[in-house]
Amino acid sequence: MQIFKADQAHRIDQGKFQITLLRPGLIWGDPSLEDYAFGPLSRIDHATLGPGTLVRMHEHSNDEIFSYMWKGKMLHEDSTGHRIEVSPNHLMMMNAGKSIHHEESTPDSSVEMLQIFIRPEETDLPSNVQFYERSVIPANGEWTLLAGPKEMKAPLELRQQVAVYDAHAKAGTMLQPPIIEGMEPWLYVMDGSISINDIAINKGDAVTYSPSEMSTMLIHKDASLVLFLVKLDAPMTLAGQFSGRKR
């Protein structure tokens, strides 16, 4: 089992817009690695946006970008014609493909979210924006599949061998994460605290493990968890504006 602690992440402070930048491959504990990605899972921005924040219209290309909203509401606009509010009940996937422009703002409330950058399987795929509305967010520790490759029939389609789940659980709950053969886990504690085999993992920490090591996951403090299952050797392009960066 490998743990990436919250204090190892890089922080960017832009006033109302603050980012904790995570490079998932650093969980292996070797900063000399040529590539800081965890297979095609390249970068995760744990972002907070204060009321009145505006991230002006800008371009992305060859990035699969999943906006995981944990708290608050954000107004999204893009070059495909969408002008729509995203929230924990209304999640968004931007399959940037060859090119897409978007703008994000928080006119009325603060937001805490993950902006997740994944390397697509091919270069210059068609651009697309998807939304997933879920009226009920389970709070009983149930794992919910949010995004994944086409064959998984997830609510949001990712053009890569990466599956994304979340779970929200109360203190005292015991969980068993999903397993997919050939895919490696990367588990992020969005909030709260847990332990795996009596090892504490807190908000902002991440862990990877082999399924045989996962004998017990105990929730110590009400927790929100985001789990990535990743095929580390999946074919991928490095042409992504953000996801293609190795370090």
Side-chain angles (χ1 to χ4, degrees):
M1 187 166 66
Q2 300 287 331
I3 300 173
F4 183 83
K5 302 298 288 185
D7 60 8
Q8 295 175 259
H10 177 63
R11 288 173 174 77
I12 302 170
D13 187 345
Q14 298 181 341
K16 293 181 180 181
F17 185 26
Q18 299 188 17
I19 295 173
T20 299
L21 194 159
L22 305 161
R23 298 305 306 270
L26 289 175
I27 202 165
W28 302 119
D30 184 1
S32 68
L33 288 171
E34 179 186 350
D35 192 350
Y36 285 177
F38 189 80
L41 179 61
S42 179
R43 169 176 166 167
I44 300 172
D45 292 349
H46 188 151
T48 57
L49 296 83
T53 301
L54 172 63
V55 181
R56 296 188 181 277
M57 191 71 69
H58 59 283
E59 184 182 25
H60 285 278
S61 60
N62 294 304
D63 293 320
E64 300 284 283
I65 308 169
F66 179 31
S67 296
Y68 178 81
M69 305 294 294
W70 183 57
K71 287 183 177 180
K73 297 178 180 180
M74 183 170 70
L75 181 62
H76 166 84
E77 300 184 58
D78 63 52
S79 53
T80 69
H82 291 102
R83 188 176 190 274
I84 193 166
E85 191 174 76
V86 291
S87 70
N89 294 97
H90 199 216
L91 303 176
M92 177 177 66
M93 173 76 70
M94 287 189 292
N95 311 103
K98 189 171 184 179
S99 176
I100 197 166
H101 291 74
H102 76 112
E103 179 174 293
E104 312 296 342
S105 61
T106 55
D108 302 316
S109 67
S110 60
V111 162
E112 187 171 357
M113 64 176 291
L114 301 181
Q115 192 86 322
I116 300 153
F117 297 89
I118 294 168
R119 296 168 177 171
E121 56 194 6
E122 296 179 35
T123 303
D124 291 346
L125 293 167
S127 301
N128 187 33
V129 182
Q130 308 169 61
F131 299 94
Y132 168 43
E133 185 169 355
R134 53 177 183 171
S135 56
V136 177
I137 301 175
N140 59 357
E142 175 183 345
W143 292 95
T144 303
L145 176 62
L146 303 174
K150 186 176 183 178
E151 61 269 23
M152 288 188 182
K153 298 182 180 178
L156 297 168
E157 183 180 332
L158 256 170
R159 297 177 298 196
Q160 186 49 272
Q161 294 298 306
V162 176
V164 187
Y165 298 79
D166 76 345
H168 307 272
K170 301 294 184 182
T173 304
M174 295 180 67
L175 299 185
Q176 189 68 37
I179 298 170
I180 299 177
E181 186 176 354
M183 303 183 87
E184 300 297 324
W186 199 92
L187 176 69
Y188 186 65
V189 181
M190 188 80 194
D191 193 50
S193 64
I194 68 173
S195 67
I196 297 176
N197 303 342
D198 298 323
I199 298 173
I201 305 162
N202 301 308
K203 177 171 181 170
D205 294 346
V207 60
T208 187
Y209 49 86
S210 67
S212 61
E213 292 177 312
M214 179 55 73
S215 60
T216 306
M217 179 190 290
L218 176 63
I219 308 299
H220 290 283
K221 181 181 178 182
D222 293 359
S224 292
L225 308 173
V226 182
L227 173 66
F228 303 87
L229 296 180
V230 182
K231 185 173 175 55
L232 294 179
D233 60 353
M236 68 190 86
T237 176
L238 296 178
Q241 188 173 359
F242 285 86
S243 65
R245 298 177 186 175
K246 289 189 172 184
R247 300 189 67 170

